Amino acid sequence: MIALLNPRGWPYWLKLTLTLVIVLAATSLFLISSFEAQAREEADDRLRQYLQQTALTRRERLQAEIENAFVTFADVANAAYLRPRLLRVLQFSGTPSGADIVARIEATDLLRFRLVENDIFEYVRVLTPEGIVAASVFTADMPAEQREVVGSDSSASPGFRGALDAQTLGEAQRLIVYTSAANENQAEVVQVLEIDEEVVGFMIGRLNLQNTLVSLITDVSATESDLGGEAPFSIVSYLATRTGAVITDASNLAQAEDSAQRAEITLALSGQSGFSEFLPRGFDSPVISYYQQVENTPLALITDITNTRQGGQLTLGMLGRLQWMFPALVVIGAAAVALMWRDTKAPVTVTRKIIDTGLLEEMEFEIPTTSRGDMFGQFTRDLLNMRQRFQESYRSINARLEASLRDVEATQEVGRFVSTQRDQQTLMEEVVNLIVNVFPNIYHAQIFLNDKLGEFSVLRASTGEVGRRLLERGHRLPIGGTSVIGRTIGEGSLTAVLDTEASEVHRKNELLPNTRAELAIPLRLGKNVIGALDVQSLVANSFTEDQTTTLQAMADQIAISIENARLYQESVHALEEIAKQNRETTGQNWREHLYNVRTRELVAWSGTPTRTDTDTLRQQAIKTGVTQIGGITANRTIPVAVPIKLRGQILGAVVWELPTVDFSDEKIALAEELVNRLSVTLDNARLFEESQRTADRERVLNEIAAKITAQSDVEAILTTAVKEVGQALRTRNVRLRLGVEGSQRRSKSPAIIRLDSGGSNGSHE
């Protein structure tokens, strides 16, 4: 019982029988209403034809008017009298000269005469590329708040944004429609002004909607007047945008706005046209709309017609003439059920076997239904075609997936290598070999780097015996030349030669005569091109888009890694230079320190001296800079010499004799740590002593200077000077001699002052 209530479980013949019963019932109703429906359809067809004709006529007028506005706007913008004046107005900077003002007046007069006074436009303005108003003309009745004076910023206006869109899309003209801040719908024509393909400004004109557009969609055509007496028609046309803005006569605005919420505006703006039907609020009769796009504009023209015509009624006489058809329909229906059951059973069985076989398995049975010309045969053929396309797509996707996985693995392998390699030459040589090994269609790869002068690109890494020979002869190519490498580096863009036999760029190399495809990718560092990665194949058209993308990513990695390797080598060299300077400075400082303390070396010892000769061990530690461990002595001790190192400079060595019972690696490590700290402490002590000596020297100099400046007599100053200098230097005799060139000619001898180091007064000669 439950199975009978589930229609999905019914046999197919039962479904056909029930379908026949439903068809008979529906046919009866259809036949009864056929004549009335036919009459209504004919009336609707005539109404739709009339609606379509009216809508097409109005669209042609609109397109002609808009084209006229475009042509007029372009003619004015390119007029020989106006164009140089417009360009001069757009090039104003700072305070305009008298000639600039005259040019602006002449330009605005012509714009007003050609565009505004003929009622096509109500407002025209000229904008710079930055959106600054350079000139503007408008009707006398335009409200002051809508006017944009010269010098005002119009970059935020819809017209300027539309002009930028036209510039971006390469359009010379564009019509834009928008709703203003005052909730008014506006339409503007944008003209891009160019000089030598460079945009210098925009000319934007606001259309007089009432004169140009609204009047063309609200007038009563001749056919509408003729048919007006047949039935009460109401025809409303309006223009609509994708944002819902509506342009029409004020008397039709309410109905147009209500219609715009239901009309197929999106379909019309996508280039489609057709009919739609809906019942507006407050209407008793449906409204039929014909939607279409006004070509080359963002406007949809919607024409609505309201029909109050009622269809005719079916008479009893017509119904009586249809009674004989019911038995015939029953017989025909039963026969149709039997034939359909027999005809559909075979293709359904075959279809089930095809589906059960699986999409990727081979079929081992015949399919006779493919020869049928009906829909079952077509369905079977479509099913087999779909199965074949699926298999081809599956194989193609698998092949692409394998290639993509190979490319990803290759990119990862190259990335891992270049991220760890620091030697530039080794990096380039290994990378080109990796590329040849991982890409089966590439048989030769090479890297070029620009020379310091930027004139030639020099081959730095190449694969195989051919690469070795090219490197030996110093192969290089001029940058910006006609070669693939020169062009790639000169232009900074990828160059792909898919077939060398048909290419004008590729130049055959006598060492690589079998190359059929070549791909050169620039090596970039920011905006600079430092070289190129070049790969070649023996097969034409072998570089796919995916492989090109992968090689481009590799080229970017290679460029960064080459630069990193160069910077690393420079940093290593710089660090070595700094370390060398530190060593030399440290050694020089300690030599000066030993000189100041008047000794060649500083020696200190502690503990009980032994007879072990450790001098050789100490010298070896100083020479090698490595801790030296001697053999076991007669006293059962082990001598250890640890070099004293400071910033890479060896200052000396510390020697211990450790008992064998206490000797261990930990003791050696402790000794080395103590010596390291000793070196730092010694250097700190040296620096402290030097600072003390410097302070003492400054103190003595300040005291001498104070005593000298306290004297006012020249002789007293000289006497004080030699006395204080002698005491400071601890010398017995200080002689100070004053004299001027040529003074001996006027006096017998210069002034001489002597001071004994032990005396308190100097002598003056």
Side-chain angles (χ1 to χ4, degrees):
M1 184 65 181
I2 297 177
L4 293 176
L5 296 177
N6 184 12
R8 294 183 178 179
W10 293 352
Y12 187 65
W13 63 267
L14 179 59
K15 294 179 181 180
L16 289 177
T17 303
L18 292 176
T19 302
L20 175 61
V21 173
I22 295 172
V23 169
L24 290 176
T27 303
S28 301
L29 296 175
F30 171 75
L31 291 175
I32 293 173
S33 60
S34 61
F35 290 101
E36 181 181 4
Q38 183 177 1
R40 185 181 295 109
E41 287 178 0
E42 291 178 355
D44 288 344
D45 288 342
R46 290 197 300 273
L47 190 64
R48 288 173 183 263
Q49 291 177 2
Y50 162 66
L51 175 63
Q52 184 180 17
Q53 180 182 358
T54 303
L56 293 176
T57 300
R58 292 181 176 180
R59 187 186 70 171
E60 291 176 358
R61 295 177 181 176
L62 279 174
Q63 291 180 172
E65 186 64 26
I66 293 174
E67 183 178 355
N68 177 55
F70 271 48
V71 172
T72 302
F73 215 57
D75 290 344
V76 172
N78 296 312
Y81 176 78
L82 177 62
R83 185 170 181 82
R85 288 163 175 80
L86 283 179
L87 299 179
R88 182 161 189 168
V89 168
L90 288 170
Q91 295 172 356
F92 284 176
S93 61
T95 303
S97 63
D100 294 337
I101 296 174
V102 171
R104 177 179 291 158
I105 294 173
E106 293 175 347
T108 53
D109 287 344
L110 184 58
L111 291 174
R112 182 179 293 105
F113 173 73
R114 292 288 303 274
L115 300 176
V116 177
E117 292 182 355
N118 60 6
D119 291 336
I120 298 178
F121 297 91
E122 60 182 6
Y123 180 27
V124 178
R125 60 193 187 277
V126 180
L127 304 181
T128 66
E130 294 78 21
I132 305 302
V133 178
S136 64
V137 294
F138 37 77
T139 58
D141 57 349
M142 175 174 288
E145 61 273 10
Q146 297 184 13
R147 303 176 181 178
E148 295 181 353
V149 299
V150 174
S152 60
D153 188 356
S154 186
S155 59
S157 65
F160 182 71
R161 292 196 299 268
L164 293 180
D165 293 340
Q167 176 186 354
T168 302
L169 298 175
E171 299 176 355
Q173 289 183 317
R174 167 175 280 206
L175 177 67
I176 61 172
V177 181
Y178 62 92
T179 302
S180 66
N183 202 25
E184 296 180 354
N185 296 322
Q186 304 289 350
E188 292 187 339
V189 175
V190 173
Q191 176 73 39
V192 180
L193 303 177
E194 296 181 339
I195 298 179
D196 298 330
E197 299 183 356
E198 180 181 356
V199 175
V200 297
F202 309 99
M203 194 167 74
I204 304 174
R206 183 187 300 171
L207 288 172
N208 188 332
L209 294 179
Q210 186 62 38
N211 292 345
T212 57
L213 303 183
V214 176
S215 61
L216 298 177
I217 62 175
T218 56
D219 66 328
V220 179
S221 62
T223 56
E224 186 176 343
S225 302
D226 296 340
L227 296 176
E230 294 187 3
F233 292 98
S234 175
I235 299 180
V236 173
S237 292
Y238 62 91
L239 297 169
T241 66
R242 196 179 302 275
T243 59
V246 174
I247 299 175
T248 188
D249 189 72
S251 60
N252 300 328
L253 184 59
Q255 181 179 344
E257 290 179 345
D258 186 57
S259 172
Q261 300 177 7
R262 301 172 179 83
E264 308 295 343
I265 296 175
T266 303
L267 293 178
L269 292 178
S270 65
Q272 303 182 41
S273 61
F275 296 94
S276 62
E277 186 172 340
F278 62 94
L279 182 64
R281 292 172 295 180
F283 279 62
D284 297 330
S285 301
V287 172
I288 301 175
S289 295
Y290 184 78
Y291 55 87
Q292 57 184 329
Q293 183 183 18
V294 181
E295 294 182 1
N296 301 322
T297 70
L299 296 173
L301 175 60
I302 312 298
T303 305
D304 296 343
I305 186 169
T306 304
N307 179 20
T308 58
R309 187 197 309 271
Q310 300 295 328
Q313 300 295 326
L314 186 63
T315 63
L316 293 176
M318 294 179 182
L319 183 60
R321 290 195 297 270
L322 298 175
Q323 294 178 354
W324 62 271
M325 298 183 64
F326 291 105
L329 289 175
V330 172
V331 175
I332 295 173
V337 169
L339 290 174
M340 290 177 63
W341 169 253
R342 178 183 176 186
D343 198 47
T344 57
K345 184 176 180 180
V348 169
T349 302
V350 171
T351 302
R352 182 179 299 166
K353 292 177 66 177
I354 294 174
I355 295 174
D356 292 341
T357 302
L359 293 173
L360 299 177
E361 298 179 8
E362 296 295 332
M363 294 183 297
E364 299 178 354
F365 54 88
E366 295 183 359
I367 307 175
T369 55
T370 55
S371 59
R372 293 178 55 158
D374 57 6
M375 65 177 183
F376 293 105
Q378 184 63 43
F379 175 77
T380 304
R381 291 191 293 272
D382 292 343
L383 181 61
L384 293 175
N385 291 334
M386 181 191 70
R387 190 173 183 273
Q388 183 178 0
R389 288 196 300 270
F390 175 83
Q391 292 175 346
E392 293 174 355
S393 299
Y394 179 80
R395 288 191 290 267
S396 176
I397 291 173
N398 275 346
R400 292 188 61 183
L401 181 60
E402 291 176 359
S404 299
L405 290 175
R406 181 200 64 204
D407 293 346
V408 170
E409 291 175 356
T411 304
Q412 291 176 345
E413 186 175 356
V414 172
R416 285 192 297 269
F417 176 78
V418 299
S419 63
T420 57
Q421 182 56 246
R422 292 294 181 266
D423 183 77
Q424 189 181 79
Q425 187 60 36
T426 303
L427 168 69
M428 293 186 291
E429 292 174 356
E430 292 295 331
V431 163
V432 294
N433 288 325
L434 278 174
I435 291 175
V436 172
N437 292 334
V438 298
F439 292 105
N441 63 319
I442 296 176
Y443 85 104
H444 185 75
Q446 49 194 3
I447 292 177
F448 288 81
L449 293 182
N450 300 345
D451 59 12
K452 294 182 179 180
L453 298 178
E455 298 178 354
F456 292 91
S457 186
V458 183
L459 181 66
R460 296 295 303 276
S462 187
T463 56
E465 177 63 21
V466 173
R468 185 187 64 79
R469 294 171 63 184
L470 290 172
L471 289 169
E472 287 179 352
R473 73 183 190 184
H475 184 58
R476 64 177 187 172
L477 296 169
I479 297 175
T482 58
S483 64
V484 173
I485 299 299
R487 177 178 176 180
T488 298
I489 299 176
E491 298 179 359
S493 59
L494 181 145
T495 302
V497 179
L498 300 180
D499 189 355
T500 57
E501 299 295 335
S503 174
E504 298 180 356
V505 179
H506 177 78
R507 297 292 182 270
K508 282 191 176 181
N509 190 314
E510 69 277 6
L511 299 179
L512 299 168
N514 299 322
T515 297
R516 288 298 309 277
E518 184 176 6
L519 179 65
I521 304 172
L523 300 178
R524 289 183 174 276
L525 284 177
K527 296 182 179 180
N528 298 326
V529 178
I530 64 172
L533 170 65
D534 181 74
V535 294
Q536 301 183 25
S537 175
L538 298 173
V539 181
N541 301 309
S542 62
F543 297 118
T544 63
E545 183 177 354
D546 293 340
Q547 189 179 42
T548 301
T549 303
T550 301
L551 290 171
Q552 179 69 66
M554 286 186 180
D556 295 338
Q557 286 183 325
I558 293 169
I560 295 173
S561 299
I562 289 174
E563 179 66 9
N564 290 341
R566 183 186 66 80
L567 295 176
Y568 175 78
Q569 292 173 357
E570 289 181 356
S571 64
V572 169
H573 180 70
L575 290 175
E576 291 176 351
E577 289 294 326
I578 293 173
K580 179 180 178 181
Q581 292 178 2
N582 287 338
R583 290 193 301 270
E584 293 176 354
T585 302
T586 301
Q588 180 63 28
N589 290 337
W590 273 96
R591 284 191 294 272
E592 292 178 357
H593 177 73
L594 294 176
Y595 175 79
N596 291 330
V597 298
R598 292 177 172 83
T599 182
R600 297 184 60 186
E601 61 181 0
L602 295 174
V603 180
W605 62 87
S606 177
T608 302
T610 66
R611 297 180 179 179
T612 305
D613 184 8
T614 59
D615 187 65
T616 302
L617 195 67
R618 179 178 61 82
Q619 293 294 337
Q620 190 67 20
I622 294 174
K623 181 178 180 181
T624 62
V626 179
T627 300
Q628 301 294 320
I629 301 175
I632 300 175
T633 66
N635 298 325
R636 306 300 296 172
T637 60
I638 298 177
V640 177
V642 180
I644 303 174
K645 293 186 289 187
L646 180 65
R647 292 187 285 274
Q649 179 69 30
I650 299 176
L651 305 179
V654 179
V655 180
W656 281 281
E657 287 190 47
L658 300 176
T660 55
V661 294
D662 293 336
F663 187 83
S664 64
D665 293 338
E666 289 77 6
K667 288 293 182 67
I668 299 299
L670 177 60
E672 291 176 344
E673 180 63 25
L674 290 173
V675 171
N676 289 336
R677 297 192 181 187
L678 171 64
S679 64
V680 175
T681 305
L682 288 173
D683 200 51
N684 290 339
R686 179 187 62 79
L687 293 174
F688 178 75
E689 291 180 4
E690 288 183 359
S691 64
Q692 287 292 99
R693 285 196 298 272
T694 302
D696 292 340
R697 186 165 54 249
E698 291 295 328
R699 179 181 55 78
V700 171
L701 291 175
N702 291 334
E703 291 177 355
I704 295 175
K707 291 179 179 181
I708 292 175
T709 55
Q711 304 296 328
S712 59
D713 182 66
V714 173
E715 185 174 351
I717 292 174
L718 296 176
T719 302
T720 302
V722 295
K723 175 182 178 181
E724 295 298 329
V725 170
Q727 291 178 354
L729 299 178
R730 296 180 180 179
T731 181
R732 294 184 58 84
N733 189 358
V734 177
R735 175 175 294 183
L736 188 153
R737 181 185 295 271
L738 293 179
V740 181
E741 183 180 358
S743 61
Q744 292 182 356
R745 299 175 184 176
R746 296 188 297 270
S747 61
K748 296 181 178 180
S749 62
I752 300 176
I753 298 176
R754 292 189 177 90
L755 177 68
D756 293 335
S757 59
S760 59
N761 294 316
S763 62
H764 177 251
E765 296 180 357

